[in-house]
Amino acid sequence: MAEKPLSSPPPTSLARAERFVWLTARVLEQRRFAYHFLRGGADQVETALAAYLNEDGGYGHALEPDLRGPVSQPLHTAQALRVLDSIGRCGGLRVERICRYLTEVSTHEGALPAIHPSQRPYPSAPFVPVVDSPPSALLTTGPVVGLLHRNQVWHAWLFRATEFCWSAVESLEKTHPYEVEAAVAFLDGAPDRSRAEAAADRLGRLVREQRLAVLDPDRQEEYPVAEGYAPGELHFPHDYARVPDSLAARWFTDEEMARSLDRLAADQEEDGGWPIRWRAWAPGSALESRPIVTVEALRTLRAHGRAVD
C-alpha cells in the first residue's frame, strides 16, 4: 500500500501577506514590507520614497493614493514622514527641507490644510474636496507635528503648528474617528507629557461616550457610522492604539483590545491582503491602498505581541 504524501502546513499570515504584496504593491510598499518583515534595508525604502519627492521639498505623485497627480500635498508629505519615521530616518537635511515646504503651505494659523488648492487640476477622492482657501485641519497637522516632536525635530514652523494642535485637541467636543486618530498622533508625540495625558484622558471619555470605537466586534451593527463615512466604516481600539504605549491604549480594557486585535487578524482576506474600509472611488487608488493597509495591519499586530509569522 502506497504511503500518503505528507500534507504541507497551511501558509502563515505573513506568507499570505507577502504573496499579496509581491502581486499587487508598488515598489515602495514592497520595500517597506521587506524592511519590516524580511530584514530589508532602510536605504532601499528611502530610495523608493525619493521617487515621490518634488523640488519644493514636498511629496506628490499619488503617494497618498486618494490624491492623484504630481503636485506636492500636505497629505502626501505626512505619509512620507510616517515612512521615514518607521525606518528611523526622520531627521537631518531631508526633514529640514520638508519643514520648509510645510511652512510654505501652512495657513495663517500655522497649521496644515487637508488639501492645498494646487490639487484642483488633478483627480482626487470626492470625500476630500478642493477649496480655494482651505481651513486648518487637525486631521493633517496633528500626525505631522506629533511625529516631528517624537523625533526631536525643531523648526520655527513647529511652534505655531503645535499651538494650533493644542487648541484644536483641547476644544474637541463632537468629533469623528479620523480626527481622534490625528489627535492621538499629536498627543503621543507632544513634549508636554502631563498636558498630553490630561488631554488624552478627556478624549478617551469622548470616544466612549460617542461610541467611536467598536468594543464588541460581534455587535458592530449597533455602533454608529460617522457622517460622510462609507457604510461599515467603523473604527476599533487598535485603530487608535497602534502600539501598546500609545496614550489611547489606556482607553480600553485588556479584553476590549484583545477582541479588537482578534478582529484585525481575522480581517485578512483570502488573497492575503487586508481590505480598505473607506469608500473606494477609483480602481487604481483602491489597489494601491490595500498593500499600505496590509503592511500597517501586520505592524500593528506585531507591536501588540501577536504572532504574524
Side-chain angles (χ1 to χ4, degrees), residues 6-24:
L6 295 175
S7 59
S8 300
T12 64
S13 176
L14 186 63
R16 294 167 57 210
E18 181 179 357
R19 176 175 170 79
F20 172 78
V21 166
W22 296 134
L23 279 172
T24 66

Side-chain angles (χ1 to χ4, degrees), residues 5-148:
L6 295 175
S7 59
S8 300
T12 64
S13 176
L14 186 63
R16 294 167 57 210
E18 181 179 357
R19 176 175 170 79
F20 172 78
V21 166
W22 296 134
L23 279 172
T24 66
R26 306 179 295 190
V27 173
L28 176 59
E29 280 69 54
Q30 290 177 7
R31 291 187 170 179
R32 289 192 70 207
F33 183 91
Y35 173 83
H36 289 295
F37 302 104
L38 302 175
R39 299 183 180 179
D43 288 345
Q44 287 74 21
V45 177
E46 195 163 3
T47 297
L49 181 63
Y52 299 87
L53 179 63
N54 287 321
E55 291 184 3
D56 60 7
Y59 287 77
H61 307 280
L63 178 56
E64 162 50 60
D66 282 330
L67 301 181
R68 315 307 291 183
V71 294
S72 297
Q73 285 291 323
L75 283 175
H76 295 317
T77 306
Q79 174 66 6
L81 282 169
R82 283 191 286 271
V83 172
L84 291 170
D85 176 57
S86 72
I87 62 173
R89 296 287 178 88
C90 193
L93 292 176
R94 66 176 69 78
V95 174
E96 287 185 22
R97 183 168 55 178
I98 289 173
C99 286
R100 286 198 296 271
Y101 164 75
L102 296 175
T103 302
E104 292 173 1
V105 298
S106 62
T107 69
H108 68 280
E109 295 176 293
L112 299 172
I115 300 187
H116 190 270
S118 60
Q119 181 65 33
R120 189 177 297 281
Y122 304 100
S124 59
F127 46 81
V128 281
V130 182
V131 297
D132 289 331
S133 298
S136 301
L138 178 62
L139 197 69
T140 314
T141 314
V144 169
V145 173
L147 185 152
L148 292 175

Side-chain angles (χ1 to χ4, degrees), residues 165-183:
C165 289
W166 279 124
S167 177
V169 169
E170 293 176 337
S171 62
L172 283 178
E173 292 298 339
K174 179 65 176 175
T175 184
H176 60 92
Y178 290 121
E179 190 171 53
V180 173
E181 285 187 31

